[in-house]
Amino acid sequence: MQAPQKQLRPNVKRLNSIAKETPKTNPVKAKLKSVLQEKKEQIEADKAKDEIASEVKDAPKGLVTLKDLCAEDKQRVANLIKELARVDGEKESALSLLAQQKASYEDQTRILATEREKMRLEREGVEAQLRECQKLLENYQKTLKEQQEKKIIVIFSTVIVARRKTLATLLTLMLL
């Protein structure tokens, strides 16, 4: 009877660690807590059964049998056996449900990790495009400024040439 109890303890520890790792917003956490509570109750029931079994085991052989028990004790043994069968069934279904939920949680975690990686790559691509656009804008602004400076020089040159012509004309008129 001690072997199943030892086997259950690592499962309870594993459930405890999973429950602690699970985010508070995860609906699986509530189910894990209930499964954990059931496991604790099962361990307590197993301890009670072990105590009864050890009392019967410690009795001298051949003195105590099921036939020797009173009707009330026979009923208690029958109830304990039924309870053991029920708890064992619940344990199996809870472990099955836990395995399904764990697989689902792991799948969701993988999907989210994949989506996060895609988003990171997309962000890096957008940042690279932004840097390229900024360089193009800087080059455009530089080219535009140079063109404006050339236009101003051309305008000033035209004005200077026109003034020279005007001065030359005025000088020739004055000399005449």
Side-chain angles (χ1 to χ4, degrees):
M1 286 253 161
Q2 292 293 338
Q5 185 178 359
K6 287 181 182 177
Q7 222 172 27
L8 288 177
R9 289 192 189 271
N11 290 338
V12 170
K13 288 178 183 176
R14 187 167 39 94
L15 287 174
N16 273 331
S17 68
I18 291 172
K20 288 177 184 174
E21 293 171 5
T22 307
K24 292 181 180 179
T25 58
N26 192 333
V28 175
K29 185 174 182 180
K31 186 63 180 175
L32 286 175
K33 284 186 177 182
S34 67
V35 168
L36 186 59
Q37 183 61 34
E38 289 174 10
K39 292 288 184 191
K40 288 178 181 177
E41 290 172 2
Q42 183 179 359
I43 289 172
E44 292 300 321
D46 288 346
K47 283 182 182 177
K49 291 174 195 171
D50 288 344
E51 288 174 8
I52 292 172
S54 67
E55 288 175 7
V56 171
K57 190 176 183 181
D58 291 342
K61 288 192 175 189
L63 295 179
V64 179
T65 64
L66 197 55
K67 292 178 184 176
D68 295 333
L69 296 175
C70 67
E72 183 181 314
D73 288 340
K74 288 180 184 178
Q75 187 61 39
R76 282 183 59 205
V77 169
N79 289 342
L80 287 173
I81 291 171
K82 287 177 187 176
E83 180 70 16
L84 177 63
R86 184 188 66 79
V87 168
D88 191 48
E90 288 177 359
K91 177 189 106 178
E92 292 302 319
S93 64
L95 288 175
S96 173
L97 178 63
L98 179 63
Q100 290 172 355
Q101 289 175 344
K102 181 180 178 185
S104 173
Y105 179 75
E106 289 172 351
D107 289 343
Q108 289 174 350
T109 303
R110 273 192 297 277
I111 290 169
L112 290 174
T114 302
E115 288 177 2
R116 183 179 24 192
E117 181 63 18
K118 285 179 184 177
M119 291 170 72
R120 184 187 65 78
L121 292 173
E122 184 178 339
R123 186 189 72 233
E124 288 175 357
V126 168
E127 287 174 348
Q129 287 176 345
L130 176 63
R131 284 189 297 273
E132 185 179 335
C133 287
Q134 286 174 334
K135 285 180 184 177
L136 287 172
L137 178 61
E138 288 172 4
N139 289 339
Y140 175 74
Q141 288 173 339
K142 183 178 177 182
T143 304
L144 187 62
K145 185 178 179 181
E146 287 172 359
Q147 287 176 354
Q148 286 174 346
E149 288 174 356
K150 285 179 184 178
K151 283 182 182 179
I152 290 172
I153 291 172
V154 168
I155 291 171
F156 280 135
S157 296
T158 307
V159 169
I160 291 172
V161 169
R163 285 195 177 175
R164 280 186 188 168
K165 285 182 182 180
T166 307
L167 282 175
T169 307
L170 282 174
L171 279 175
T172 51
L173 287 176
M174 285 174 61
L175 290 174
L176 289 175

